[in-house]
Amino acid sequence: MISLTKVLATCSPFLWAISSTNAFTSQPPPRTASRVLVGGIEEPRTTTRCFAKKNSADMTDEEREVAMDKALKAMTAFSNKYTTNTGTYYCEDKGIPAVVIKGLAEHKVTLGTPLCPCRFYEDKEKEAKEGYWNCPCAPMRERHECHCMLFLTEENGELCNV
């Protein structure tokens, strides 16, 4: 079991990006595949790219570290942009979004897509292909309900912010 302290230490370079609205703005815009309805507003659906050029189980430690670094940056940039586009925000305790973003990045490397890290899956590969729980998940896109508490709204923000 990984301790929260270890996760936060791993994510600490990215905590500044979570609180910065202009983080990673030099990145090219994401590719779009189609448009989806998000909270009554039509938005482009971002396609996901696999950062692992080969099976993550076959990666060396150095290749995995590079892939994780790239995925953490991408997931942080995605999360920052998503909060801006949807009017949502992060929990005041930056450790919560840091852990969720790290989980999304790990799934991006191992599965090729940011599968929600806050759920149990009997078959992660199958769930990743189906896309329902790929971030932003269907409940978030349709009703602005993020059970991970990564994207907060006025209705559920008091649950996290004390």
Side-chain angles (χ1 to χ4, degrees):
M1 181 98 183
I2 297 175
S3 71
L4 182 58
T5 306
K6 186 171 183 173
V7 170
L8 289 175
T10 305
C11 295
S12 62
F14 301 98
L15 289 177
W16 69 270
I18 291 171
S19 59
S20 170
T21 57
N22 294 324
F24 303 106
T25 55
S26 63
Q27 295 287 331
R31 299 177 300 162
T32 56
S34 62
R35 300 187 77 75
V36 294
L37 198 61
V38 177
I41 301 170
E42 194 174 316
E43 290 185 357
R45 172 74 172 153
T46 308
T47 59
T48 57
R49 288 184 271 180
C50 180
F51 287 100
K53 293 187 177 170
K54 59 183 178 179
N55 186 334
S56 63
D58 297 333
M59 290 180 163
T60 65
D61 289 343
E62 185 177 319
E63 290 172 326
R64 182 163 172 68
E65 186 176 329
V66 169
M68 274 300 296
D69 184 50
K70 189 173 181 180
L72 274 169
K73 287 178 183 177
M75 291 294 90
T76 301
F78 157 76
S79 298
N80 287 336
K81 185 167 179 92
Y82 194 79
T83 57
T84 302
N85 290 346
T86 59
T88 56
Y89 58 93
Y90 296 121
C91 181
E92 289 175 5
D93 176 0
K94 298 299 183 214
I96 292 173
V99 169
V100 175
I101 290 170
K102 185 173 188 287
L104 290 170
E106 287 174 353
H107 283 162
K108 185 93 167 160
V109 171
T110 58
L111 301 170
T113 188
L115 185 66
C116 176
C118 301
R119 300 188 56 82
F120 170 77
Y121 308 99
E122 288 188 27
D123 186 350
K124 286 185 181 183
E125 289 81 14
K126 179 183 173 195
E127 292 291 343
K129 284 181 183 178
E130 289 178 3
Y132 186 86
W133 292 112
N134 292 345
C135 190
C137 64
M140 182 62 203
R141 290 189 310 262
E142 296 167 2
R143 300 181 302 274
H144 278 205
E145 295 174 0
C146 180
H147 65 277
C148 293
M149 296 180 66
L150 176 59
F151 304 116
L152 300 177
T153 62
E154 293 300 320
E155 292 80 36
N156 64 8
E158 69 277 351
L159 298 174
C160 180
N161 301 324
V162 288

